């Protein structure tokens, strides 16, 4: 094993800020929905709106970072090893089988992660942002008598926004479990906190030589 710098500083900051904001948006959102009672409805709406703006700012920086560093390529879905990865999570993991996909600096995600994360970035997060913004500003056209969305139309928006919130809750639960399935129970968590992770030698050498080639 070789210690590699896998997650850069901004990447870790973005990951943890995104996690905090999504948890907070989920918490306040489900209070708005009526599922829990903590801040009180009005306060929950105010806090949800502030966190949503912070989330939007973070998304703008994250999109810029992914494009300028080329890291967006990490999420390009692939069918290579997809079946092996599924079989690993269903059977292999319980028999102590080796991970079918070796993590490298240039390829951090396994094929299942690529699909799920790409789906989050391309479908679920944009759905939340767009439905959330419509939800937030639907009143303004009416106030200035430009009625482009009436209150009846908001039902669809609210349903889509809530559906996205449930998908994020499902993702969060699966994510918590999968964090523990690295080389050791805490290796994935430590890597996202410190940036460093022990990767198998052959693969790290390969990624180093690939990086040298790219330079
Ligand atoms: C930029 C992103 C987001 C924006 C702009 C946004 C905006 C909003 C707004 C304006 C409301 C309605 C508040 C009101 O009744 O006045 C709302 C409700 C809600 N939000 Fe968000 N939100 C965002 C992200 C999220 C995320 C990430 C989650 C979940 C993890 C979430 C979960 C909810 C839920 C569950 C409701 C209640 C829906 C209902 O019962 O109708 N939101 N959001």
């Amino acid at each position: 094993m070789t210690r590699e710098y896998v997650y850069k500083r901004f990447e870790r900051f973005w990951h943890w800020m995104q996690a905090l904001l999504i948890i907070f948006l989920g918490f306040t959102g489900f209070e708005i929905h009526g599922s829990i009672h903590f801040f009180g409805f009005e306060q929950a709406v105010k806090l949800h709106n502030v966190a949503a703006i912070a989330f939007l700012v973070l998304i703008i920086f994250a999109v810029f970072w992914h494009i300028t560093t080329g890291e967006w390529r990490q999420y390009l879905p692939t069918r290579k090893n997809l079946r092996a990865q599924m079989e690993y999570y269903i059977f292999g993991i319980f028999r102590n089988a080796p991970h079918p996909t070796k993590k490298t600096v240039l390829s951090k995600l396994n094929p299942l992660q690529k699909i799920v994360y790409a789906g989050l970035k391309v479908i679920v997060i944009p759905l939340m942002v767009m439905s959330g913004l419509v939800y937030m500003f639907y009143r303004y056209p009416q106030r200035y008598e430009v009625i482009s969305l009436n209150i009846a139309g908001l039902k669809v928006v609210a349903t889509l926004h809530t559906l996205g919130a449930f998908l994020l809750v499902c993702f969060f639960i699966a994510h918590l479990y999968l964090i523990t399935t690295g080389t050791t129970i805490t290796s994935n968590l430590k890597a996202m906190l410190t940036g460093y992770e022990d990767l198998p030698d052959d693969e790290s050498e390969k990624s180093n030589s690939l990086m040298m080639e790219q330079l």
Side-chain angles (χ1 to χ4, degrees):
M1 300 287 247
T2 307
R3 211 162 153 69
E4 295 267 0
Y5 190 46
V6 185
Y7 301 111
K8 297 177 193 67
R9 196 192 294 237
F10 175 79
E11 198 171 9
R12 284 176 282 141
F13 166 78
W14 160 66
H15 173 271
W16 290 114
M17 279 308 288
Q18 175 169 264
L20 282 177
L21 285 170
I22 290 183
I23 292 168
F24 191 71
L25 282 162
F27 194 75
T28 47
F30 279 107
E31 173 142 21
I32 297 168
H33 191 67
S35 319
I36 46 177
H37 302 280
F38 188 78
F39 295 111
F41 181 80
E42 264 182 43
Q43 192 64 11
V45 170
K46 277 187 199 147
L47 291 170
H48 194 81
N49 285 351
V50 173
I53 301 294
F55 190 40
L56 280 174
V57 173
L58 184 70
I59 289 173
I60 292 167
F61 278 99
V63 168
F64 181 76
W65 181 83
H66 277 89
I67 293 172
T68 52
T69 57
E71 285 287 313
W72 62 273
R73 289 194 189 88
Q74 299 272 358
Y75 306 92
L76 286 177
T78 170
R79 280 202 298 208
K80 192 173 170 249
N81 263 354
L82 183 60
R83 200 190 159 100
Q85 193 66 44
M86 284 183 193
E87 283 172 359
Y88 172 76
Y89 283 133
I90 300 170
F91 308 111
I93 198 166
F94 302 109
R95 295 182 192 144
N96 223 5
H99 279 265
T101 318
K102 297 281 172 263
K103 194 168 178 176
T104 70
V105 176
L106 295 179
S107 180
K108 300 171 194 172
L109 306 172
N110 72 46
L112 267 181
Q113 285 176 313
K114 282 179 197 273
I115 290 178
V116 172
Y117 293 171
L120 277 183
K121 279 164 199 291
V122 177
I123 301 169
V124 183
I125 302 285
L127 170 78
M128 293 311 279
V129 169
M130 284 188 288
S131 58
L133 287 176
V134 175
Y135 213 154
M136 201 181 263
F137 292 111
Y138 81 98
R139 300 177 195 88
Y140 294 94
Q142 287 170 327
R143 190 183 288 170
Y144 296 105
E145 291 178 337
V146 188
I147 301 171
S148 56
L149 182 73
N150 56 33
I151 194 81
L154 200 61
K155 206 173 168 187
V156 179
V157 176
T159 308
L160 287 174
H161 199 71
T162 308
L163 174 76
F166 274 110
L167 288 176
L168 284 173
V169 170
C170 294
F171 168 77
F172 183 65
I173 295 167
H175 196 64
L176 285 185
Y177 164 61
L178 291 170
I179 286 172
T180 64
T181 63
T183 319
T184 68
I185 200 162
T186 54
S187 61
N188 283 337
L189 179 66
K190 279 188 191 150
M192 200 40 100
L193 286 169
T194 63
Y196 288 93
E197 187 170 357
D198 293 330
L199 299 181
D201 269 337
D202 50 342
E203 293 302 324
S204 53
E205 268 165 32
K206 220 186 286 173
S207 70
N208 279 344
S209 57
L210 263 169
M211 227 172 354
M212 294 302 283
E213 270 171 35
Q214 286 197 339
L215 289 171

